[in-house]
């Protein structure tokens, strides 16, 4: 899967707002493409936030299709009932 740059943001206290986003005590990843340059600057400069640059899996990247054999769907067995 493709990786994209993101900011992993954790607030030092729940419910803290900065750059138009509410931040909590649990870390949340925000893709850089979803933030403006001004927002990124505000977030990085805020002492009440822990901001770490990370790379995350691109949620918009499509996974390549797997061949039927890899999915386990290549063979289909059918059982017939014995005739009486």
């Amino acid at each position: 899967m493709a990786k994209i740059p993101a900011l992993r943001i954790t607030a030092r206290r729940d419910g803290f707002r900065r750059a138009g986003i509410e931040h909590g005590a649990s870390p949340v990843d925000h893709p850089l493409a979803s933030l403006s340059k001004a927002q990124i600057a505000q977030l990085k400069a805020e002492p009440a936030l822990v901001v770490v640059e990370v790379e995350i899996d691109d949620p918009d990247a499509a996974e390549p299709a797997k061949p039927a054999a890899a999915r386990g769907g290549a063979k289909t067995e059918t059982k017939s009932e014995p005739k009486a």
Side-chain angles (χ1 to χ4, degrees):
M1 183 170 264
K3 298 283 188 180
I4 59 171
L7 294 181
R8 181 165 292 152
I9 303 173
T10 309
R12 298 193 190 275
R13 63 176 169 84
D14 260 340
F16 183 81
R17 291 189 65 84
R18 182 60 69 230
I21 305 167
E22 185 171 345
H23 306 282
S26 297
V28 176
D29 295 337
H30 298 274
L32 286 183
S34 70
L35 302 168
S36 70
K37 289 182 181 181
Q39 286 176 307
I40 293 168
Q42 288 175 345
L43 294 165
K44 286 183 172 183
E46 178 54 60
L49 297 175
V50 176
V51 180
V52 179
E53 293 184 22
V54 296
E55 285 193 342
I56 60 172
D57 289 335
D58 185 352
D60 296 329
E63 289 231 8
K66 293 181 182 177
R71 290 192 310 258
K75 277 189 174 181
T76 304
E77 290 187 33
T78 56
K79 293 183 179 180
S80 57
E81 294 290 322
K83 294 183 180 180

